[in-house]
Amino acid sequence: MRIHPRYTQGGAVAVLGGATILTLMILVFIIFFILEKGLPVINLNFLTSNPEDMGRAGGIFPTLIGTILLPLLAIIIATPLGIFTSVYLSEYTKETKVTKVIRFGTDCLAGIPSIIFGLFGYIFFVITLGFGWSIISGGLTLAVMILPTIIRTSEEAIKSVPKSYREVSFSLGATSWQTVKKVILPNALPGIVTGIMLSVGRSIGETAAVIFTAGSSLRIPSSVFDSTRTMAVHFYILAREGISAENAYGTAATLIIAVLIVNLSAYWLMNRFIAKRS
Amino acid sequence: MNIKFHIQDLNFYFNNNKVLKLINFEIPANIILGIIGPSGSGKTTFLRALNRMNDLESGSRIEGQILFDGEDIYSSDYDVVALRKRVGMVFAMPVPLPMSIYDNIVYGPRLSGVNDKKRLDVLVEKSLTAAYLWDEVKDRLKTSAMRLSGGQQQRLCLARVLAMEPEVILLDEPCSGLDPISTAKIEDALTELKKEYTIILVTNNTKQAARVSDYTAFFLMGDLIEVGNTGQIFTSPNKTETNDYITGRFG
Ligand SMILES: Nc1ncnc2c1ncn2[C@@H]1O[C@H](COP(=O)(O)OP(=O)(O)O)[C@@H](O)[C@H]1O
Ligand SMILES: [Mg+2]
């Protein structure tokens, strides 16, 4: 039996709209839930003082430092590596079996649970290279973890740059590298930045891979070879060990606000860049 | 007469598909050569063989030789980047790069290391004037080239090629999407430009070839059927295929 298009159209609107509203509601609910419980805890003192008694009292200052340093290190390492790899794969090689295998490999890596990366980082950076539980081990591990995402999103962004731009650039006497620098990367930038932002978010929120490699010291690190604790790990430990639900929510709320600030400023920067170019 | 290109026993393949079949002829300097023929005849492929743009396509393969000023452009040590600076190209679809009009024009010169502002300014005015576009855009050089009309964009593309100060300009059906006024402007520009450049113009419009070109070549299914003086080709062609095509009996 054929259903009249008017009804299928109505049904489609209901299902699609319903899914959207449900997603939004879940998102808003989570954020409100955390902020409602966490915001009252946050004040200047909470952000700038050291934790006392394992975090039962005091603030979260050292974990702010850890949360800034680890993802920063990961991004600094993974961004150039990832962009160079994706440029090489898409601009300097023809599509062959080898590139297909590499692409398949990065796709698989992107889907591996983070705890596996943690284990790898522990065995390789912490033990084999002897970096110990440290900022450097954690940063390198996070870099390995986000590298596949950065490669794949950059590659997609590069592929979406029209082929005709490349042709024009080459026909005007550009080398591959000049074309990459002047035409491909500027036009792929919004997509590349999106991939980096996703990766920043993922490394800020990461716990498993970080505990295994950066440890969970609450001291303020004095070098990259010191252990550190990120906000996500702090929250995890506070909540799991039942140390302080109050401070756990305070940490979680700070984390959410930090991610929001990072994303909003990246968005703002990118819009300024695009506005300047056109 | 000075010969710019010698084409010798040229065969061109995309994978196993032979697209150009044993082409032999010579292209003199400082003329306009019109290339006509039905679509799929290999006109674009021929044009893009001259500045090695076909290299970018996978599966392309060449036999025979193309000599540019006596040098084999397909020999392994030939500098392709330098070749493309000397042999500029205007594509069928105008493609301004997503940047300002000014930056589009100076794209080529900057690649060659010209950074002197005064020199670039002079180049911009000179090229836009030669492409009959200067008066329309001189007050908005810093605005995006994407906002120009189609006809203006194509003249911008011509100006962008002129700014490289090439020796040869290849044009692949540059007027196919344009209104008659823009087309006339481009034709006027080309007639003026042949004093300094060698121009090779692929066109789907036989009347255009008759109007502007000095020599005309007729391609059909990968064969160069006939090439000669435009007057002779259009009044007394040697081959019946040529006659059929220019009188509109097929194609
Ligand atoms: N990149 C390519 N890959 C494979 N075949 C191609 C490619 N470009 C053109 N061809 C083929 O080459 C033949 C000639 O095409 P083309 O040179 O574009 O002709 P024209 O410009 O005269 O219309 C056509 O059969 C076309 O399908
Ligand atoms: Mg064509």
Side-chain angles (χ1 to χ4, degrees):
Chain A
M1 199 193 83
R2 194 168 166 279
I3 304 169
H4 193 279
R6 192 170 39 218
Y7 300 117
T8 55
Q9 163 69 5
V13 169
V15 171
L16 302 178
T20 312
I21 289 171
L22 189 67
T23 312
L24 274 180
M25 270 170 49
I26 294 172
L27 203 74
V28 168
F29 175 75
I30 293 176
I31 292 178
F32 262 87
F33 179 78
I34 304 273
L35 290 185
E36 198 213 342
K37 298 210 160 194
L39 277 183
V41 183
I42 301 178
N43 54 40
L44 197 63
N45 194 39
F46 182 73
L47 296 177
T48 57
S49 64
N50 288 329
E52 286 155 30
D53 195 9
M54 311 271 296
R56 210 161 273 127
I60 56 166
F61 183 62
T63 69
L64 279 182
I65 294 183
T67 306
I68 291 169
L69 287 183
L70 279 193
L72 192 68
L73 193 60
I75 291 295
I76 288 174
I77 297 167
T79 301
L81 265 181
I83 295 180
F84 293 165
T85 306
S86 58
V87 166
Y88 184 75
L89 282 179
S90 50
E91 299 298 316
Y92 285 83
T93 57
K94 296 218 158 124
E95 191 71 21
T96 61
K97 278 225 175 69
V98 181
T99 57
K100 279 197 186 114
V101 168
I102 294 176
R103 203 159 289 135
F104 181 72
T106 41
D107 279 346
C108 290
L109 276 177
I112 287 179
S114 58
I115 193 152
I116 308 277
F117 284 103
L119 211 59
F120 161 77
Y122 177 72
I123 293 168
F124 189 65
F125 298 123
V126 176
I127 305 289
T128 310
L129 295 185
F131 291 161
W133 279 328
S134 60
I135 294 173
I136 186 91
S137 298
L140 286 168
T141 306
L142 287 181
V144 174
M145 185 182 88
I146 60 179
L147 194 55
T149 311
I150 294 189
I151 293 177
R152 289 302 269 133
T153 47
S154 304
E155 224 193 326
E156 289 309 314
I158 287 171
K159 267 202 212 131
S160 71
V161 177
K163 190 181 162 215
S164 56
Y165 290 179
R166 291 178 177 77
E167 287 211 314
V168 164
S169 178
F170 282 121
S171 78
L172 291 170
T175 60
S176 291
W177 175 239
Q178 287 172 324
T179 304
V180 165
K181 213 171 45 174
K182 296 189 128 203
V183 176
I184 312 259
L185 287 182
N187 285 290
L189 195 77
I192 294 176
V193 171
T194 307
I196 294 174
M197 288 334 295
L198 283 174
S199 307
V200 171
R202 224 185 131 198
S203 19
I204 289 182
E206 181 53 39
T207 51
V210 173
I211 293 182
F212 270 95
T213 54
S216 58
S217 163
L218 272 174
R219 243 166 289 156
I220 294 176
S222 56
S223 88
V224 288
F225 292 102
D226 283 352
S227 169
T228 190
R229 185 186 287 198
T230 63
M231 280 193 270
V233 171
H234 191 52
F235 168 81
Y236 172 76
I237 291 175
L238 291 185
R240 212 193 98 102
E241 323 245 308
I243 294 172
S244 161
E246 208 188 26
N247 280 354
Y249 282 121
T251 311
T254 316
L255 197 59
I256 287 185
I257 293 168
V259 171
L260 268 176
I261 290 175
V262 168
N263 277 318
L264 285 177
S265 36
Y267 191 73
W268 178 78
L269 268 178
M270 204 163 72
N271 276 339
R272 262 189 47 150
F273 175 83
I274 293 171
K276 234 175 90 183
R277 275 173 53 80
S278 58
Chain B
M1 190 180 258
N2 192 2
I3 302 295
K4 213 66 193 160
F5 282 106
H6 289 260
I7 292 101
Q8 296 173 345
D9 298 333
L10 173 70
N11 288 316
F12 202 98
Y13 301 82
F14 282 114
N15 303 309
N16 290 324
N17 182 13
K18 194 169 183 178
V19 176
L20 294 174
K21 300 167 192 161
L22 211 62
I23 310 288
N24 276 291
F25 75 119
E26 291 170 353
I27 304 174
N30 299 98
I31 53 126
I32 300 183
L33 168 71
I35 298 182
I36 57 172
S39 94
S41 295
K43 306 183 296 295
T44 297
T45 307
F46 175 73
L47 204 65
R48 291 165 62 102
L50 299 179
N51 63 347
R52 290 189 54 177
M53 284 301 283
N54 285 328
D55 290 15
L56 306 181
E57 306 295 333
S58 61
S60 67
R61 185 163 61 81
I62 187 170
E63 287 169 0
Q65 285 190 321
I66 298 179
L67 305 184
F68 175 46
D69 280 346
E71 283 182 278
D72 179 4
I73 62 172
Y74 281 87
S75 80
S76 56
D77 56 353
Y78 197 88
D79 183 349
V80 185
V81 169
L83 171 73
R84 292 187 186 137
K85 286 180 179 159
R86 294 170 64 194
V87 184
M89 176 160 219
V90 175
F91 298 86
M93 293 292 295
V95 180
L97 293 170
M99 42 182 87
S100 71
I101 295 172
Y102 187 94
D103 286 337
N104 263 280
I105 304 289
V106 301
Y107 189 85
R110 275 200 182 130
L111 292 175
S112 308
V114 181
N115 281 312
D116 178 46
K117 176 92 172 65
K118 280 213 188 80
R119 184 132 173 249
L120 291 175
D121 287 350
V122 171
L123 266 178
V124 168
E125 175 164 1
K126 197 175 135 214
S127 331
L128 283 171
T129 307
Y132 286 62
L133 186 60
W134 173 251
D135 288 333
E136 290 163 59
V137 299
K138 62 173 185 251
D139 299 323
R140 46 172 174 148
L141 294 174
K142 297 287 174 190
T143 60
S144 171
M146 313 296 268
R147 280 190 226 138
L148 297 173
S149 74
Q152 290 173 326
Q153 287 185 358
Q154 195 58 300
R155 279 177 280 151
L156 176 82
C157 293
L158 178 58
R160 191 168 59 186
V161 167
L162 295 176
M164 295 197 300
E165 304 183 314
E167 297 162 38
V168 179
I169 306 171
L170 310 174
L171 301 107
D172 189 2
E173 308 193 4
C175 304
S176 53
L178 304 190
D179 59 279
I181 293 177
S182 296
T183 301
K185 283 188 176 155
I186 288 192
E187 289 179 5
D188 289 347
L190 294 182
T191 316
E192 197 59 37
L193 286 168
K194 76 174 175 191
K195 290 173 199 146
E196 285 176 66
Y197 304 90
T198 303
I199 296 171
I200 305 177
L201 169 70
V202 168
T203 174
N204 54 353
N205 176 346
T206 44
K207 290 207 188 81
Q208 183 173 51
R211 276 198 300 270
V212 301
S213 65
D214 304 298
Y215 288 80
T216 299
F218 173 53
F219 278 69
L220 181 62
M221 306 309 289
D223 289 305
L224 172 63
I225 302 291
E226 187 168 359
V227 56
N229 261 318
T230 298
Q232 175 252 315
I233 296 278
F234 280 91
T235 51
S236 53
N238 292 323
K239 301 279 167 64
T240 50
E241 292 100 320
T242 315
N243 192 40
D244 289 348
Y245 182 71
I246 58 180
T247 54
R249 231 165 287 168
F250 76 98

